[in-house]
Amino acid sequence: PIRFRTMGKKRPRRGQNGSGKRLFWSLAVTIVVLVATYWYGGEDDAATHSKGASDARSKRKRRAQCRSSCEDIILEAARPMPTQRGDSSSSSSSGDAAQAAQAQTRPLGSQELLMLPRQYSPSSSSSSSSPNVQFPQMNHVGLVTLSSTPPTTALLKAIDNAMITHPLLRGHVEGSGEPKERVDLFNMVRKGNPDPERFVSPSDVGEAGFAAEDVLKVIDIGVDAAIDDGDALSQSWEASFRRDLDDGSWCDTRRGPLWKAELHRLVGGNTDDGVDGEGKDGPCALLLSFNHAISDQSSANLLIDQLLSDVACMDASTNNPTAVPQPLPLSLEQSVLGVGRSFAETNPDGVADLNAEGITFDTVKYVAGKAAEGFKSPVILPDSVEGKDKDDGSGIVGALSTIAGKSAGGSDATGAAARKSAVSFRTLDAKATEALLDKCREEGVSVTNALTAAVALTASDHIGGGANANAAGRTRNYKVLQSLDMRRFGERLDKCDTVACMAGSMDLMLGPLADRSGDSIRGAIADTSQFWELAREGRKQTENFVESGEPAQAVRVFDAFMTVADGNNLVHLTAESAASQGRAYSAGVSNVGVFERQRAVKREGEETSDRRENLMPKHGRYEIRDIYFATPHSRSGCLYQVSGQTIHGEMKLTFHPAKPIVSEETNAAFADAFVELLEVAAGVKEPASADTKAEMMTSGGKDGGPLSKVPSNVLSLAALAFSIGGIAIHGGAWADFFQSVSQMKANVADPADATAALNFWIFFAVGHPILQPILWISDVLHGTPGPKIADLVPYLFLAGNVVAIGAIAFSKEIRNAVNIAAVGAFLAYVGAGLDGQAGLGDFNLALDDQYKGQIVKGCPAYDEVRQPTMNNFDLEKYQGKWYEHKFHDWTQFKEVYDTTLDIKLTPDGKGWIDDFAVKGPAPKAAPLSWDKSPVADGAHYFLFGRVDEKDPPGVLRESGFGVEFPNYIVDVEKDENGEYKEAIQFQCLERGGVRVFEGINFMSRNPVMTDQELTAMHARAEKAGMYPYGASPEQMHTVARRDVNAPKLDNSWQQMWKFIGVDKLLELLTESIEDGGR
């Protein structure tokens, strides 16, 4: 970073080592919460924003994993898992059984807490923005239709066997999950976890508190000759599928079970084979519903296969080898990072630690990259909902609103609760699926890459609406959530031996795409090259994600965030956002791959995972005809979502966005267009006719003219470039600051002391940059020429505001650029304060900074600075009014003037009150508006403290903003009558050996001091050893003063302030504060 130095001036010190890491941590801490705010939109099968993970210990291993993960998903989704967990590769099935014989329990991992979900107790407070809120569980629904209906008794026995095999199927959750305390202003940051939420699985199914009969519900479907059996069956299971996708009220996590099953069977009509529906040969549907914390679709497939295998063996009266009881599965974080290496395990007190295991430069780079995605402004709402350039809450301002405990754009709890899933089911037939696979191999991409291209292109066909439906030339970026099976990354400890949730995801940024790009391919306006280019872009981003080790960094960041923050509340606030309507992604794809290539449950005699059989689409007379699954995006998630897997060579697809954002009709049209686009891309279907092509061209298809070629986000990128440059200039100072903060936290006995001191610093560090635009706007207001309304506001100023506000309101490009520039300017201004370049007198924010090349650490003792003039000091004589002439103090503002301190002791002599009077802004700070300010004639605020009898005379204890620090009276000068006429005060706040704040005041009983008198005060301060702490002339700000006899200001603005009672309000506020202090 570029640094400027001036000899003799106070500058922050440089760190000696690790400055690069500290620099990036400083940037990361600034944006990590903004990133985290928008990680929780989609809870698809490879679910949520734990984001996938890979430890990627070596480049070669990362590349190997990349090749594995990026191969064609249809070939690899159910590939045999690597042998055994961690150091137990040689363990036998009998060893597994012995481990499972004991009651099992473990705390939920971060991803599981998001799914469960962990509740948020402040929401029950009457002061909460969303009182009495119970966060709904995230559901996972899987469905198979079968050629034959199993007997109920056999299915119950199979469910009982499954509960013996899989601990989470007989488990429940205990623990409140409440932290020891919440330590931030917005009640979002957690500290400690004395009663973590934990899975509890009894050793015996009989001790679970529920049985197979409590899990299974049989739905008998009465039909007659007028109703087709297949239609009746599908109507029944589809209704349950939709219900369970959005409604998880059936699940009591404290009691269990955490899953349920429904058997839909025909009764009274004729099956395909002419046998009554209760007989052996009637078709049926088996619906499995889970709390998503315990399952993903791979483990649901494992369970389905086990149930059908057991039922088939019971039918044939043969002995099926018993499934080996499994131990409680690891959490996703343990599976990826290793046992004992999750953030919660390495930080049991739940305190954020920048030096935690695995936190590296790559972690920070990952966070920065995720934050940068927002600058591309991906579309997340259709025009029919959003309106042209409507703010969707996805910008920095929206993120800050969410962090502050408010839904971006306001709360719409009613709308969030009313959203449900629109659901459509489709099949890509075997011919098209095989052709698509062949074409993917030819193009060097996976089927998943093809699906992400298809979902983005189809989204471009449906994103337009309302007045913009035919707008030519509009292009947009698409953020696509691509699901990942996290068993394939990092330590890879979970082998899919048992039911568990190892679902993760990554983000793809695709585009910009012109509206109706998919239609253009289907309509032969464009060939399929764009489709395959987009698929290759998806593969490239996936390869980069895996090879760079970002999956592991993602898990670490998400795990750390969920440990120290209430991530579920962020999901809730995002879901209720009136601006985003819970949308965080343009679209999402979850592709589980080929059913038949996944390994089945381990059975006796299969001593290692390598010898496990594959899943089978048919066991005995039970053949799977259809298989569908979904997780909800109704409250929060993707705008468009498709989930699929392949069985019998056919791809089974579920389309499940949120309605009414996407209607049932639109979702059905989306599903048809998606499948057709895959068929065209695979070459099994011809594009639309020439007539259709002409129709599309006249209705605003892809080729939108020259405007479609104009680069988007130019203003945002320019603002970002300037912001990064402004921050980077002060990068070294930021690095030193965060190093000092880490040192402070490490050295204090009570972390609350460090937190209070840091909050004290933050309050004033934020206040200074916020004041600057206020003063600038005020001067623009009063400097605008032309006639005025009531002699107050110029007409031209109002017109300019209308133009500026209109541009920001109606142009997302301008709005984003303004947001980025504002945040960048804010961080750059604070960085200048850390670097000593924003005013050494009032805004030198550095901790433990240096003077003339020497590092000055901590605070001096009183005896080190106390001068002989303090002998026989009389605190009673020190009372009264003092005029402040110079200060070095970032709790004050250089923009004020005529500051005075009126010090009074309490009647008992044990406390003191400082009536600090200010006027502002000063004429030099705001030359055009200073006399129009509501506090131009003065305002007061009070400081309170105590007199500790243990302190030597001349030391006062000052309190405020949660901290207490000494106020040293260093030096006094007496007049001819022995009264104090001049004084030097020195305040210093130190925590953990780090000086957080120093304040120096030169004061006099007279409102005017000569240059000679001030020079003499500097000399006395230097003699006291205070120059290193900021008492030299260049480090102090001179307070501006008007003549004490100058009349009170009187103009139309002052009259207006008095008319509305501002002067009375200030007086009342002054009295109330003073009375409270007493």
Side-chain angles (χ1 to χ4, degrees):
I2 301 172
R3 301 286 299 278
F4 300 94
R5 293 187 177 273
T6 303
M7 291 305 296
K9 288 192 176 182
K10 189 178 183 185
R11 292 287 184 243
R13 65 181 174 85
R14 283 178 178 264
Q16 299 300 313
N17 295 296
S19 60
K21 179 178 179 180
R22 296 194 303 274
L23 166 60
F24 276 94
W25 261 118
S26 70
L27 299 178
V29 170
T30 304
I31 61 178
V32 65
V33 181
L34 304 182
V35 176
T37 303
Y38 288 94
W39 277 354
Y40 312 118
E43 303 88 16
D44 61 357
D45 167 69
T48 89
H49 306 79
S50 60
K51 289 297 185 196
S54 171
D55 196 32
R57 292 173 180 259
S58 69
K59 189 172 183 180
R60 183 175 66 182
K61 181 177 180 180
R62 289 199 296 265
R63 284 178 172 170
Q65 290 181 344
C66 179
R67 287 193 298 270
S68 172
S69 300
C70 299
E71 288 175 11
D72 194 283
I73 195 93
I74 276 191
L75 294 178
E76 62 91 51
R79 175 180 297 145
M81 296 294 176
T83 58
Q84 294 301 310
R85 173 177 300 156
D87 58 359
S88 59
S89 59
S90 61
S91 63
S92 65
S93 59
S94 61
D96 287 340
Q99 183 177 353
Q102 302 176 3
Q104 302 171 67
T105 182
R106 70 159 171 83
L108 273 71
S110 293
Q111 178 247 33
E112 292 162 338
L113 288 171
L114 183 68
M115 306 291 193
L116 187 71
R118 180 173 64 194
Q119 298 299 320
Y120 178 65
S121 66
S123 68
S124 62
S125 168
S126 60
S127 62
S128 170
S129 62
S130 52
N132 302 315
V133 169
Q134 187 75 11
F135 300 156
Q137 78 170 28
M138 296 188 187
N139 307 309
H140 166 215
V141 181
L143 177 283
V144 290
T145 61
L146 303 174
S147 59
S148 294
T149 301
T152 304
T153 53
L155 185 56
L156 286 170
K157 177 58 179 174
I159 290 173
D160 193 61
N161 291 343
M163 292 169 63
I164 295 172
T165 305
H166 307 288
L168 291 181
L169 297 187
R170 62 178 184 270
H172 62 277
V173 177
E174 296 180 1
S176 69
E178 273 301 294
K180 181 180 179 182
E181 59 178 321
R182 289 181 170 85
V183 297
D184 67 309
L185 181 63
F186 304 115
N187 284 324
M188 298 282 274
V189 179
R190 303 162 54 90
K191 177 183 177 183
N193 194 19
D195 186 24
E197 288 175 309
R198 53 201 178 274
F199 287 126
V200 177
S201 178
S203 58
D204 189 275
V205 172
E207 299 172 0
F210 54 86
E213 288 79 4
D214 300 303
V215 173
L216 178 64
K217 180 180 180 180
V218 178
I219 308 294
D220 288 330
I221 307 164
V223 295
D224 55 38
I227 302 177
D228 181 84
D229 292 347
D231 289 344
L233 182 62
S234 62
Q235 289 173 11
S236 178
W237 67 255
E238 284 186 25
S240 292
F241 191 105
R242 294 169 186 270
R243 178 201 64 216
D244 286 357
L245 186 55
D246 293 318
D247 183 5
S249 59
W250 57 268
C251 180
D252 182 349
T253 60
R254 302 300 169 184
R255 300 179 60 184
L258 303 177
W259 70 300
K260 67 172 185 172
E262 283 186 2
L263 178 65
H264 294 252
R265 65 185 186 184
L266 298 170
V267 176
N270 292 325
T271 67
D272 292 345
D273 298 310
V275 181
D276 185 80
E278 292 182 321
K280 294 182 178 181
D281 295 322
C284 71
L286 182 63
L287 181 76
L288 302 179
S289 302
F290 305 87
N291 182 302
H292 201 358
I294 73 163
S295 70
D296 55 22
Q297 189 57 28
S298 293
S299 53
N301 290 344
L302 184 80
L303 176 60
I304 289 167
D305 182 79
Q306 180 181 354
L307 294 175
L308 297 183
S309 176
D310 283 357
V311 169
C313 284
M314 284 182 248
D315 272 2
S317 300
T318 58
N319 292 324
N320 200 19
T322 303
V324 177
Q326 295 297 311
L328 199 65
L330 301 175
S331 68
L332 180 149
E333 294 76 25
Q334 291 173 320
S335 176
V336 172
L337 302 177
V339 176
R341 294 174 62 189
S342 70
F343 193 89
E345 291 171 308
T346 57
N347 296 268
D349 294 329
V351 178
D353 180 8
L354 302 188
N355 295 314
E357 181 179 356
I359 300 296
T360 66
F361 173 83
D362 287 337
T363 310
V364 181
K365 187 168 66 173
Y366 165 78
V367 172
K370 301 312 296 177
E373 288 179 356
F375 299 134
K376 295 186 177 181
S377 301
V379 59
I380 60 173
L381 288 172
D383 289 347
S384 57
V385 172
E386 182 184 2
K388 181 176 174 60
D389 283 330
K390 179 182 176 183
D391 188 357
D392 56 21
S394 62
I396 292 174
V397 173
L400 291 173
S401 297
T402 308
I403 294 166
K406 305 291 183 183
S407 294
S411 177
D412 183 14
T414 302
R419 288 197 297 270
K420 303 296 180 183
S421 296
V423 182
S424 290
F425 303 97
R426 296 291 186 273
T427 297
L428 186 68
D429 65 33
K431 177 183 176 182
T433 301
E434 183 179 8
L436 181 65
L437 175 57
D438 291 341
K439 187 66 175 178
C440 286
R441 289 168 174 160
E442 179 184 331
E443 296 290 341
V445 299
S446 72
V447 169
T448 296
N449 299 146
L451 296 181
T452 58
V455 80
L457 289 165
T458 309
S460 76
D461 301 334
H462 293 81
I463 204 70
N468 300 312
N470 296 325
R474 187 163 190 187
T475 62
R476 319 182 201 227
N477 289 313
Y478 290 80
K479 186 175 183 179
V480 177
L481 190 69
Q482 177 177 280
S483 297
L484 300 173
D485 183 349
M486 301 323 302
R487 297 175 179 88
R488 305 180 184 285
F489 299 100
E491 297 296 328
R492 306 175 75 171
L493 299 184
D494 188 285
K495 306 301 186 290
C496 203
D497 293 326
T498 186
V499 172
C501 185
M502 296 288 155
S505 59
M506 63 167 290
D507 301 346
L508 300 177
M509 293 298 296
L510 302 178
L513 300 177
D515 285 359
R516 303 190 70 176
S517 291
D519 279 343
S520 297
I521 297 173
R522 282 186 295 270
I525 294 175
D527 59 28
T528 59
S529 60
Q530 184 185 24
F531 180 98
W532 295 111
E533 287 172 5
L534 211 58
R536 281 189 288 272
E537 175 60 25
R539 180 182 179 97
K540 176 183 176 182
Q541 292 184 29
T542 303
E543 288 177 339
N544 290 341
F545 179 78
V546 177
E547 186 173 343
S548 65
E550 287 188 12
Q553 307 307 335
V555 161
R556 291 191 178 99
V557 170
F558 179 79
D559 187 28
F561 181 76
M562 282 293 291
T563 302
V564 303
D566 282 296
N568 291 85
N569 194 41
L570 295 180
V571 176
H572 169 69
L573 293 171
T574 302
E576 292 196 345
S577 167
S580 70
Q581 298 194 33
R583 302 308 95 194
Y585 292 86
S586 314
V589 169
S590 177
N591 181 25
V592 179
V594 178
F595 181 88
E596 295 93 329
R597 291 187 178 274
Q598 183 181 328
R599 292 297 194 192
V601 69
K602 185 189 298 185
R603 295 187 180 272
E604 289 182 352
E606 298 173 339
E607 296 185 355
T608 69
S609 293
D610 280 346
R611 294 188 59 185
R612 290 160 57 191
E613 298 291 337
N614 281 13
L615 304 186
M616 297 173 58
K618 183 178 182 181
H619 288 277
R621 59 191 174 87
Y622 305 106
E623 182 176 22
I624 299 175
R625 292 178 172 176
D626 296 300
I627 183 166
Y628 299 106
F629 73 95
T631 56
H633 288 248
S634 49
R635 282 183 58 82
S636 61
C638 301
L639 175 57
Y640 304 106
Q641 174 65 30
V642 56
S643 302
Q645 62 180 317
T646 300
I647 190 167
H648 296 305
E650 296 182 328
M651 191 180 299
K652 303 293 183 175
L653 302 166
T654 309
F655 298 83
H656 48 107
K659 64 179 179 183
I661 302 174
V662 178
S663 67
E664 291 282 4
E665 294 76 12
T666 300
N667 187 43
F670 185 100
D672 291 337
F674 181 92
V675 171
E676 183 182 0
L677 183 59
L678 292 179
E679 292 171 338
V680 171
V684 297
K685 184 173 184 177
E686 292 296 323
S689 67
D691 291 339
T692 304
K693 174 179 176 179
E695 178 185 349
M696 290 177 57
M697 292 185 68
T698 58
S699 62
K702 173 195 171 187
D703 194 3
L707 287 179
S708 64
K709 307 301 182 183
V710 176
S712 59
N713 300 314
V714 172
L715 292 178
S716 297
L717 293 174
L720 176 61
F722 281 111
S723 298
I724 292 174
I727 297 170
I729 287 175
H730 310 295
W734 278 106
D736 290 342
F737 170 76
F738 280 97
Q739 183 188 43
S740 295
V741 170
S742 296
Q743 177 187 339
M744 176 175 64
K745 289 184 175 181
N747 292 341
V748 295
D750 184 356
D753 288 341
T755 300
L758 189 57
N759 287 341
F760 175 77
W761 182 93
I762 290 172
F763 181 88
F764 290 101
V766 168
H768 284 261
I770 288 177
L771 180 62
Q772 305 310 308
I774 296 174
L775 295 177
W776 181 81
I777 292 173
S778 180
D779 259 21
V780 171
L781 164 64
H782 297 292
T784 302
K788 300 179 181 179
I789 301 173
D791 197 31
L792 295 172
V793 181
Y795 286 98
L796 186 58
F797 178 81
L798 287 179
N801 272 270
V802 170
V803 173
I805 293 172
I808 293 173
F810 290 102
S811 172
K812 183 182 290 186
E813 173 73 6
I814 294 177
R815 183 168 58 252
N816 287 341
V818 170
N819 286 339
I820 294 167
V823 173
F826 171 83
L827 295 174
Y829 195 93
V830 175
L834 289 170
D835 225 1
Q837 297 178 11
L840 291 172
D842 78 311
F843 202 56
N844 185 21
L845 296 175
L847 311 183
D848 273 350
D849 41 8
Q850 66 178 9
Y851 178 67
K852 292 187 175 180
Q854 297 295 318
I855 296 174
V856 184
K857 296 182 69 66
C859 294
Y862 182 47
D863 288 342
E864 295 179 53
V865 295
R866 180 184 180 276
Q867 294 302 289
T869 58
M870 292 300 298
N871 295 336
N872 302 315
F873 175 73
D874 186 349
L875 187 56
E876 293 282 345
K877 293 169 62 175
Y878 193 71
Q879 295 184 96
K881 188 172 186 177
W882 292 92
Y883 294 91
E884 184 180 44
H885 290 275
K886 279 194 167 187
F887 66 78
H888 174 92
D889 183 349
W890 48 253
T891 68
Q892 296 192 52
F893 296 83
K894 65 178 179 292
E895 291 80 13
V896 300
Y897 69 105
D898 280 3
T899 55
T900 62
L901 297 83
D902 195 349
I903 298 173
K904 301 175 184 178
L905 292 174
T906 57
D908 60 6
K910 295 182 179 180
W912 61 275
I913 303 172
D914 180 358
D915 177 1
F916 188 70
V918 299
K919 297 176 183 178
K924 286 187 177 180
L928 301 177
S929 60
W930 70 274
D931 57 340
K932 283 83 171 179
S933 164
V935 294
D937 279 324
H940 299 255
Y941 72 89
F942 292 85
L943 304 174
F944 305 100
R946 61 186 178 89
V947 180
D948 193 328
E949 61 183 12
K950 298 179 182 179
D951 288 330
V955 177
L956 305 176
R957 295 283 166 176
E958 189 168 324
S959 301
F961 302 95
V963 296
E964 183 183 76
F965 48 86
N967 184 353
Y968 298 160
I969 303 169
V970 173
D971 176 83
V972 291
E973 284 288 302
K974 300 178 182 178
D975 62 15
E976 61 275 10
N977 298 318
E979 300 295 329
Y980 300 139
K981 68 173 184 177
E982 294 178 6
I984 299 176
Q985 287 188 164
F986 178 31
Q987 307 91 40
C988 200
L989 171 62
E990 176 185 338
R991 290 292 185 272
V994 175
R995 187 172 69 261
V996 179
F997 162 71
E998 71 277 341
I1000 301 170
N1001 314 99
F1002 286 3
M1003 307 186 304
S1004 171
R1005 298 292 192 185
N1006 296 320
V1008 177
M1009 289 188 73
T1010 66
D1011 290 343
Q1012 291 81 1
E1013 288 173 326
L1014 288 172
T1015 299
M1017 290 192 82
H1018 278 293
R1020 297 199 300 273
E1022 184 177 25
K1023 182 179 178 182
M1026 293 174 58
Y1027 267 30
Y1029 299 98
S1032 62
E1034 72 275 9
Q1035 297 181 79
M1036 298 193 73
H1037 173 73
T1038 301
V1039 179
R1041 292 203 169 275
R1042 290 181 71 216
D1043 191 303
V1044 291
N1045 297 317
K1048 281 196 171 185
L1049 298 171
D1050 185 21
N1051 52 50
S1052 56
W1053 277 89
Q1054 296 303 328
Q1055 293 170 15
M1056 187 268 290
W1057 296 130
K1058 290 178 182 178
F1059 177 77
I1060 64 177
V1062 170
D1063 56 337
K1064 302 298 183 185
L1065 179 62
L1066 291 174
E1067 290 177 7
L1068 181 63
L1069 183 62
T1070 297
E1071 293 173 1
S1072 64
I1073 295 176
E1074 185 175 15
D1075 290 342
R1078 293 197 183 101

